[in-house]
Amino acid sequence: MAEKMERMVADYHNEMSKRLTKYQTLRDLDMFVLDNSIRESTVGQLRGHTLESKWAIYDEVKKCGFKDRVVAAFSHMTRVDDIFVMQLKERGEDPEGMWAFSELTDSIKDKVPDTETVPVGIRKMKAAGLHCAIFEMDLGDAVYDFQRFGIDEMCALMKKWINWCHENLGPKTRTMISFRDTPDVMPEHTDRAFHVVTFLANLPIDRRPLGFIFEEPGGRALPEECGLWVKYFRKIMDDYNWKGHLLIHVHEKFGYGDATALQVLMDGANGVWCSVCTEGAAIGNASSCVTLLNLIRMGNKKVLEKYNCTYLRKAAINVTQITTGHPPHAKQPVYGARAVDLVFDLSSDEFDLASFFGERAPVRITSLASPEMIRHHLLNLFGEDEQFTLDMTCKMRELILEDLRSGRKEEYTSMVGLALLLDRAGGKLDERMRDAIDNYEIHNTHGKYLLAEVRKIWDEWDLKDEVQGDEMLQYDSFYNGFMAPYFSSFRCDDTKKALQAIDMDSDGMVDWNEFELYLKWAINQYPETETVEELLDITFRKGLIPAMQDEIIKAQ
């Protein structure tokens, strides 16, 4: 039995080593990024980009160190792109590395392209002083009739416009070809794609494109499928000694996007053309931010030298905000708010996202948090306190689990949430904690309204006190104004003992700040609360009364 187990363990480690070997490609890859943030991020959005937003995205991309950027996709219509490109020229931006898309033909009749009219895209490029052109090519049957206009004729048309660019766009002209419909072509018309790649590889060196790019626009192809396309594209390029770029653009649909991008890079591609964030057509594209971070995780040093990788997260956040008007989804990998959280314990991953981006990883207190993690979070929020022991944090963790078992969903990460949890576990909320929590902000507009309405009730009862305007209520005023629905008599011992729970500084008065702590907690925990009555009910039943019960138990 022991010998069999040893063999199995050895086989496991050998197989794991073999499987992980392919990732060495990512570690050594000299990655090329053609940034498409200006164009891709607007696709599928309810609102297009204004000139202002294009400039804002352009500036974010520059900060990442991406030198090759798609700045326009021209058509017969005058778009914002046209004005933006002219502004780039007027402001003296270097056109080197500014790419624009152009169709191979602007007119198709009976599935046969117009081969005589110079495409408007490259004509506009000439007027704008751009010299880096990407030609869009379709090889499937949906666009052209290849029985009437064969693949050789298509290649001749492509060569014609490549030559036009070199003759009209200046000595720094560079071109690339974009296979727009690769997933439709490869299953049944593989020969067409291979024919075009072979043709490009055999063009004279001074006219040979910088590379070619392709996309998986529907997010349907499996990573292995896309990887095999690239493997054979690269094989053809190598056979003819074409050292061109081979770039992938992947759309998301079934959760394969980022995995597909990495698989393609392992199988022969050497770069991506995409946005720095996921915003794009359908439900988005595999972003350069996530792809580059995965290369860095694998130990790739070249991308660290080539690009400003520590800014990628910030750029992805900003471009998302510019595009949608909202920050990225909190659970978006790499650049979502939760991406740098510590959840399970205080041990950081081997690759620490927060440290890489120069951020402090927020600690999120959940049922998975260890007592050490809870104690660490208490110390971070409130400083040293002798009651912050592991015994106390074990009780706090038990309360979290008890809440879950009883169907009570709470939040324990914020100052308010953690303070209330400490209080319920038998801890004492002192004046120092209250002052720390005092600055806790309510961002919900309706929540602010409810808080203001409670304050009005408070102020009315304050007028009945001996001293007005001191931010305090006497016990009897607080009882009559707020506690009466939950305690039968102000004079009974239980009520007086319960009041001690909210009197954090033990001065015989209830401070507004002491009460506000529980109100803010209730607003934060139950954002759907509609009325002042509901807010007070939640504040007492869910927050104050459990804390008051703890005070009564301690007094016994």
Side-chain angles (χ1 to χ4, degrees):
M1 175 68 74
E3 184 179 345
K4 182 178 180 181
M5 183 62 67
E6 288 179 7
R7 286 200 306 270
M8 185 173 293
V9 169
D11 290 344
Y12 163 79
H13 286 292
N14 287 334
E15 184 172 349
M16 180 61 73
S17 179
K18 290 178 182 177
R19 290 194 178 201
L20 295 181
T21 298
K22 65 180 182 178
Y23 289 96
Q24 295 301 315
T25 303
L26 300 180
R27 185 192 67 184
D28 303 325
L29 186 65
D30 187 8
M31 183 78 165
F32 183 93
V33 175
L34 173 60
D35 183 79
N36 195 34
S37 299
I38 292 173
R39 292 294 311 156
E40 182 64 34
S41 58
T42 192
V43 181
Q45 300 298 328
L46 295 177
R47 298 174 180 86
H49 286 319
T50 62
L51 281 171
E52 182 181 4
S53 61
K54 282 183 181 290
W55 273 107
I57 294 173
Y58 180 81
D59 290 338
E60 290 298 318
V61 169
K62 284 182 69 175
K63 292 175 186 177
C64 293
F66 298 146
K67 299 187 183 303
D68 288 270
R69 306 175 292 270
V70 177
V71 295
F74 293 121
S75 71
H76 286 287
M77 296 183 294
T78 299
R79 297 173 171 173
V80 178
D81 283 2
D82 297 68
I83 304 170
F84 176 63
V85 168
M86 296 310 295
Q87 286 189 354
L88 287 170
K89 182 178 180 181
E90 291 168 3
R91 297 187 188 185
E93 291 290 321
D94 187 357
E96 185 72 22
M98 291 185 187
W99 294 81
F101 281 99
S102 174
E103 296 290 340
L104 272 178
T105 180
D106 293 325
S107 176
I108 302 172
K109 184 176 181 180
D110 297 327
K111 288 193 171 185
V112 174
D114 172 9
T115 62
E116 298 302 320
T117 306
V118 179
V120 67
I122 52 178
R123 281 189 276 130
K124 286 188 174 184
M125 286 183 64
K126 181 178 181 180
L130 300 181
H131 47 251
C132 298
I134 303 171
F135 287 105
E136 297 269 33
M137 172 176 277
D138 299 288
L139 295 175
D141 291 333
V143 178
Y144 301 114
D145 183 346
F146 282 91
Q147 297 298 318
R148 301 176 60 195
F149 189 83
I151 194 66
D152 287 326
E153 293 171 284
M154 182 64 73
C155 288
L157 180 61
M158 179 173 56
K159 181 180 179 181
K160 178 178 181 177
W161 300 134
I162 289 175
N163 287 336
W164 187 96
C165 288
H166 282 276
E167 293 162 3
N168 290 272
L169 301 185
K172 294 184 178 181
T173 293
R174 296 190 294 171
T175 62
M176 285 200 280
I177 306 300
S178 171
F179 286 4
R180 190 159 43 190
D181 56 352
T182 314
D184 297 327
V185 173
M186 293 305 289
E188 296 182 6
H189 302 294
T190 315
D191 57 310
R192 293 179 190 168
F194 288 175
H195 189 104
V196 172
V197 177
T198 302
F199 178 84
L200 293 172
N202 281 281
L203 285 174
I205 293 177
D206 63 334
R207 297 298 168 95
R208 192 181 293 170
L210 184 67
F212 76 94
I213 68 179
F214 74 99
E215 65 180 302
E216 207 297 69
R220 295 185 296 272
L222 295 172
E224 292 78 8
E225 289 181 87
C226 294
L228 197 59
W229 304 340
V230 166
K231 179 180 179 180
Y232 278 83
F233 290 157
R234 180 60 75 185
K235 184 179 185 305
I236 295 170
M237 295 170 75
D238 289 343
D239 285 346
Y240 293 96
N241 197 32
W242 181 21
K243 305 299 182 183
H245 293 302
L246 179 48
L247 313 181
I248 175 66
H249 177 65
V250 185
H251 282 269
E252 185 56 270
K253 188 168 186 178
F254 296 108
Y256 291 119
D258 294 314
T260 298
L262 294 176
Q263 183 65 54
V264 168
L265 291 172
M266 288 186 283
D267 281 323
N270 71 306
V272 292
W273 64 284
C274 57
S275 174
V276 70
C277 66
T278 61
E279 294 303 321
I283 58 174
N285 71 141
S287 70
S288 58
C289 177
V290 174
T291 300
L292 287 172
L293 252 294
N294 274 298
L295 265 63
I296 295 166
R297 283 182 60 229
M298 299 301 166
N300 191 308
K301 305 298 184 186
K302 295 177 182 177
V303 294
L304 292 173
E305 297 170 359
K306 198 171 186 178
Y307 305 114
N308 182 14
C309 294
T310 56
Y311 192 76
L312 288 171
R313 174 180 160 85
K314 185 67 174 176
I317 293 170
N318 289 344
V319 173
T320 302
Q321 184 80 44
I322 294 165
T323 301
T324 67
H326 303 284
H329 191 283
K331 295 183 180 180
Q332 163 65 41
V334 178
Y335 62 90
R338 296 266 294 276
V340 294
D341 281 7
L342 294 177
V343 180
F344 299 100
D345 57 36
L346 294 175
S347 300
S348 296
D349 294 332
E350 182 178 348
F351 179 81
D352 183 2
L353 269 177
S355 295
F356 180 80
F357 287 118
E359 298 184 12
R360 181 178 176 179
V363 175
R364 187 159 51 90
I365 303 301
T366 69
S367 59
L368 301 175
S370 64
E372 292 84 358
M373 189 174 180
I374 297 173
R375 181 175 182 275
H376 181 76
H377 198 40
L378 282 167
L379 292 170
N380 278 342
L381 292 181
F382 303 112
E384 290 289 341
D385 193 308
E386 62 182 12
Q387 66 178 324
F388 296 164
T389 64
L390 288 179
D391 285 342
M392 174 61 74
T393 55
C394 282
K395 292 177 184 177
M396 294 170 71
R397 188 173 186 276
E398 283 301 315
L399 275 175
I400 295 174
L401 297 174
E402 185 180 313
D403 285 347
L404 286 177
R405 288 192 292 268
S406 63
R408 178 174 174 172
K409 298 184 69 175
E410 304 288 358
E411 178 272 327
Y412 314 102
T413 300
S414 68
M415 281 186 174
V416 178
L418 193 65
L420 267 293
L421 181 64
L422 173 69
D423 191 53
R424 289 172 56 204
K428 180 67 175 177
L429 301 186
D430 58 23
E431 188 174 3
R432 180 171 52 94
M433 289 184 200
R434 181 202 65 194
D435 292 341
I437 295 165
D438 196 31
N439 293 325
Y440 181 77
E441 294 294 329
I442 297 295
H443 299 289
N444 183 317
T445 302
H446 186 61
K448 291 180 180 178
Y449 164 76
L450 293 177
L451 194 61
E453 291 299 302
V454 175
R455 180 62 199 228
K456 289 179 182 178
I457 300 172
W458 174 283
D459 289 341
E460 289 174 5
W461 283 99
D462 185 44
L463 294 173
K464 297 177 173 62
D465 274 1
E466 293 179 5
V467 179
Q468 291 87 42
D470 59 353
E471 297 292 306
M472 296 182 183
L473 287 183
Q474 295 172 308
Y475 275 1
D476 59 345
S477 294
F478 184 78
Y479 172 82
N480 290 320
F482 300 101
M483 282 182 66
Y486 307 97
F487 291 84
S488 59
S489 170
F490 170 66
R491 300 295 176 186
C492 70
D493 287 342
D494 282 352
T495 302
K496 291 182 177 179
K497 291 174 183 176
L499 279 162
Q500 295 173 12
I502 197 172
D503 182 11
M504 297 177 196
D505 49 11
S506 303
D507 60 359
M509 307 280 284
V510 178
D511 287 5
W512 166 252
N513 290 338
E514 293 169 337
F515 186 36
E516 187 185 35
L517 161 65
Y518 288 90
L519 292 168
K520 286 182 174 181
W521 170 83
I523 291 169
N524 189 49
Q525 284 292 306
Y526 301 92
E528 302 302 319
T529 302
E530 294 184 0
T531 65
V532 171
E533 290 75 17
E534 282 183 77
L535 174 60
L536 289 171
D537 190 52
I538 292 169
T539 299
F540 276 91
R541 286 191 303 102
K542 300 281 191 178
L544 275 167
I545 290 176
M548 291 171 175
Q549 288 171 339
D550 178 62
E551 285 294 324
I552 293 172
I553 291 170
K554 285 194 292 185
Q556 294 172 346

